[in-house]
Amino acid sequence: GAVVSQHPSWVICKSGTSVKIECRSLDFQATTMFWYRQFPKQSLMLMATSNEGSKATYEQGVEKDKFLINHASLTLSTLTVTSAHPEDSSFYICSASAGIYNSPLHFGNGTRLTVT
Amino acid sequence: SQKIEQNSEALNIQEGKTATLTCNYTNYSPAYLQWYRQDPGRGPVFLLLIRENEKEKRKERLKVTFDTTLKQSLFHITASQPADSATYLCAPNFGNEKLTFGTGTRLTIIP
């Protein structure tokens, strides 16, 4: 089945530093990748949609300069949390789509970010 | 704006019984609806997809129904097992690539 690898699985960083999270589709080409954020005991909140080779589309309220998304190839998207603050601590999850309408999304296993 | 509610936040079911989870939405009917399972600290895993013109879908012990009149989908797990304990998310799709996830139901199967 389709596999999405997300790395790192957890990261602790100091306030003010930047953190990069990678999302790779291992056995299929992902024309679209989605980035979600999830707080404890809450559902997934879509942050942005990224299409290979074009700028990401951010959801309302998500700062594009703070959460930089790059989708440089059909198998890799990255999310960089810039100048991280403790309130950015959360569980970040990516998912990938092969671009086929109404097909399931394949999720990575998430990255637990803790900003101290 | 579209609202998706899953009742209830937590559900405890005795092992061997059928667990039934609900997903209600407002306003527009989705073109299709997906159900996912999420274990703690992991990403969601796809379970079933049902289209708006389908009433019911089955996969092993899982069954999903879709009632566009009631604006509701039901997710059933028959002969439930402790290994079925997880959070279950419904995700309607309203005609584009984006999925909007429900609030989730944390299911616990009690041995």
Side-chain angles (χ1 to χ4, degrees):
Chain A
V3 177
V4 174
S5 172
Q6 191 172 337
H7 179 80
S9 56
W10 62 270
V11 58
I12 302 172
C13 71
K14 289 189 186 297
S15 196
T17 60
S18 295
V19 172
K20 182 186 278 189
I21 302 169
E22 289 189 350
C23 181
R24 292 181 186 271
S25 56
L26 297 186
D27 51 1
F28 68 101
Q29 293 188 325
T31 53
T32 306
M33 287 189 174
F34 302 92
W35 287 93
Y36 296 84
R37 184 173 180 175
Q38 187 175 34
F39 290 106
K41 298 190 179 180
Q42 293 189 26
S43 192
L44 285 76
M45 297 301 297
L46 181 65
M47 298 174 67
T49 303
S50 81
N51 291 294
E52 184 265 337
S54 63
K55 286 186 180 177
T57 303
Y58 290 81
E59 294 299 301
Q60 197 171 9
V62 178
E63 296 175 60
K64 61 181 180 184
D65 294 329
K66 178 158 189 65
F67 299 100
L68 300 178
I69 291 172
N70 184 283
H71 193 160
S73 77
L74 282 171
T75 59
L76 173 64
S77 177
T78 60
L79 167 69
T80 301
V81 183
T82 62
S83 187
H85 288 100
E87 56 265 31
D88 298 325
S89 298
S90 189
F91 191 53
Y92 293 87
I93 311 175
C94 71
S95 69
S97 166
I100 301 167
Y101 180 65
N102 79 24
S103 61
L105 290 182
H106 307 288
F107 285 84
N109 270 325
T111 297
R112 170 76 56 199
L113 170 63
T114 303
V115 185
T116 61
Chain B
S1 61
Q2 193 65 259
K3 215 175 164 188
I4 300 145
E5 287 184 347
Q6 290 186 244
N7 306 334
S8 56
E9 187 180 311
L11 187 63
N12 295 330
I13 298 291
Q14 204 69 38
E15 182 177 3
K17 303 287 187 188
T18 296
T20 298
L21 287 65
T22 61
C23 176
N24 296 289
Y25 57 91
T26 59
N27 300 337
Y28 312 110
S29 264
Y32 62 92
L33 191 147
Q34 301 184 25
W35 282 87
Y36 288 79
R37 168 186 173 138
Q38 185 177 24
D39 290 285
R42 312 280 282 187
V45 174
F46 170 75
L47 296 175
L48 279 170
L49 180 153
I50 187 164
R51 295 178 178 78
E52 61 179 333
N53 60 350
E54 296 176 317
K55 294 279 188 224
E56 183 180 296
K57 206 75 168 285
R58 289 177 185 259
K59 180 183 173 184
E60 298 170 357
R61 295 184 294 112
L62 308 181
K63 184 177 88 171
V64 171
T65 62
F66 195 2
D67 189 325
T68 55
T69 304
L70 292 178
K71 298 190 177 180
Q72 181 181 78
S73 175
L74 299 179
F75 178 80
H76 307 270
I77 304 175
T78 58
S80 59
Q81 304 165 1
D84 295 326
S85 299
T87 296
Y88 291 85
L89 302 162
C90 74
N93 178 283
F94 297 97
N96 55 38
E97 275 189 305
K98 294 197 295 189
L99 279 185
T100 305
F101 284 86
T103 47
T105 297
R106 192 168 63 255
L107 175 67
T108 303
I109 305 300
I110 303 165

